[in-house]
Amino acid sequence: MSENDKDPLKRSVKDSWYVQYNEMNFPAIQKGWVLPVDRWEDFDPFILMAEDWFKKGTFPDHPHRGFQTVTYVIDGRLEHIDNGGGRDILEPGDVQYMNAGWAARHAEDGVEDDIAHTLQLWLNLPQDKKETKTIYQNIYSEDAPVVDFDGGSVKVYSGDVAGVKGPMDSIVPITLSEVNLSEGTEYTLDLPEDHNAFLYVLSGEVEVGEKQNKLAKHGVATLTYRDNGNPDASSELTLKANRRRTRVLVYSGKPIKENIVPYGPFVMNSMDEIKKAFQDFQEGRFGPPAI
């Protein structure tokens, strides 16, 4: 039997938990770790994901190097400013992709008196791409294709999902989709079988995977996958809503399998590279401030 003749992998929950939140000092409001910072080997190619509530002044001008970010706006408005001349306001359902590459310098802020509520994912870059060009891409909600089905819909921000392709153009390809389900609706999402994947429940309650593990709002699950599987083969993730207005974000990406050193605003492969990043920033090689 060839690899393509195998039955599709049916995804199950590998691990699950609920996000715990910490009150912050103003203008930051609250933070929770969707993907905790110390488990990047489990999440590869993902490094961490934070859920933040904040007002203007929380994330002023700051640098990054060696990874990518994917920021999903849940509520409020998020203003992005970078030292390449980019400036825009993102609203609920919008996503910003940033390839920090060799030297990003930007600011992220709430707008006026808004409390911005966001999810920011850190996505690793392989060593040979850590010094690529810095790129910012805004994906507005209305530009992400939506596939409707009986009892729900799936919106695709990145990757080939549900027969459509999302507009995000990431250096390391990932899939990102938002699945909306009415109560009692079951939907099977196809993902590349060799992708590590996780999901986050934004609202409602959902039964996940072959073993129908239940997760409610603020629930996170990592999923089984076929390591070194066929990149052209699909796997099946079954989701069933137990409550109305169930909304789930699903992320997947192929593991990079390199040791990394996440340190402050940089993600490199060694402490020497981290020290070089700090030196380059202090000596002005990241360019002028964003604001």
Side-chain angles (χ1 to χ4, degrees), residues 180-197:
N180 290 271
L181 302 168
S182 59
E183 185 174 3
T185 299
E186 183 175 304
Y187 179 71
T188 299
L189 187 70
D190 289 335
L191 299 170
E193 73 168 18
D194 64 342
H195 276 206
N196 201 359

Side-chain angles (χ1 to χ4, degrees), residues 9-231:
L9 171 69
K10 297 185 184 300
R11 300 270 188 152
S12 296
V13 172
K14 183 166 58 176
D15 192 9
S16 64
W17 57 90
Y18 283 88
V19 180
Q20 302 297 310
Y21 298 96
N22 295 312
E23 298 296 322
M24 308 294 287
N25 293 322
F26 188 84
I29 310 295
Q30 188 166 250
K31 177 184 285 289
W33 293 110
V34 178
L35 298 182
V37 296
D38 58 351
R39 291 184 56 189
W40 61 265
E41 289 181 339
D42 295 334
F43 308 142
D44 185 19
F46 309 113
I47 300 165
L48 61 85
M49 188 158 84
E51 182 172 6
D52 294 292
W53 288 256
F54 57 94
K55 296 197 77 172
K56 189 175 181 68
T58 304
F59 299 112
D61 173 68
H62 60 279
H64 290 299
R65 175 180 284 178
F67 66 103
Q68 305 156 95
T69 62
V70 180
T71 305
Y72 177 97
V73 181
I74 298 174
D75 200 10
R77 292 176 295 166
L78 176 71
E79 183 173 27
H80 165 262
I81 306 166
D82 64 68
N83 69 346
R87 187 167 193 151
D88 204 354
I89 292 175
L90 303 175
E91 300 192 9
D94 294 343
V95 169
Q96 188 195 63
Y97 166 74
M98 175 186 75
N99 177 50
W102 83 278
R105 190 165 180 174
H106 71 158
E108 300 158 294
D109 258 326
V111 178
E112 298 175 346
D113 291 328
D114 282 20
I115 296 176
H117 179 194
T118 65
L119 292 166
Q120 186 169 96
L121 174 71
W122 287 23
L123 171 63
N124 194 20
L125 281 168
Q127 188 170 24
D128 64 358
K129 290 184 170 58
K130 286 193 179 293
E131 295 196 3
T132 48
K133 180 182 177 181
T134 302
I135 298 168
Y136 302 93
Q137 182 190 5
N138 294 329
I139 299 97
Y140 305 108
S141 179
E142 63 270 23
D143 294 334
V146 176
V147 177
D148 295 313
F149 51 85
D150 189 18
S153 64
V154 56
K155 179 182 292 186
V156 181
Y157 292 95
S158 183
D160 294 298
V161 180
V164 297
K165 183 176 177 57
M168 186 187 299
D169 188 19
S170 58
I171 298 293
V172 175
I174 64 167
T175 76
L176 168 54
S177 52
E178 176 190 305
V179 183
N180 290 271
L181 302 168
S182 59
E183 185 174 3
T185 299
E186 183 175 304
Y187 179 71
T188 299
L189 187 70
D190 289 335
L191 299 170
E193 73 168 18
D194 64 342
H195 276 206
N196 201 359
F198 72 96
L199 60 82
Y200 182 55
V201 182
L202 289 170
S203 62
E205 182 184 271
V206 64
E207 295 179 10
V208 181
E210 196 172 24
K211 297 180 181 178
Q212 300 177 313
N213 300 70
K214 291 182 181 179
L215 278 177
K217 183 176 180 178
H218 305 306
V220 189
T222 57
L223 305 171
T224 56
Y225 73 104
R226 191 165 280 155
D227 193 15
N228 297 318
N230 182 354

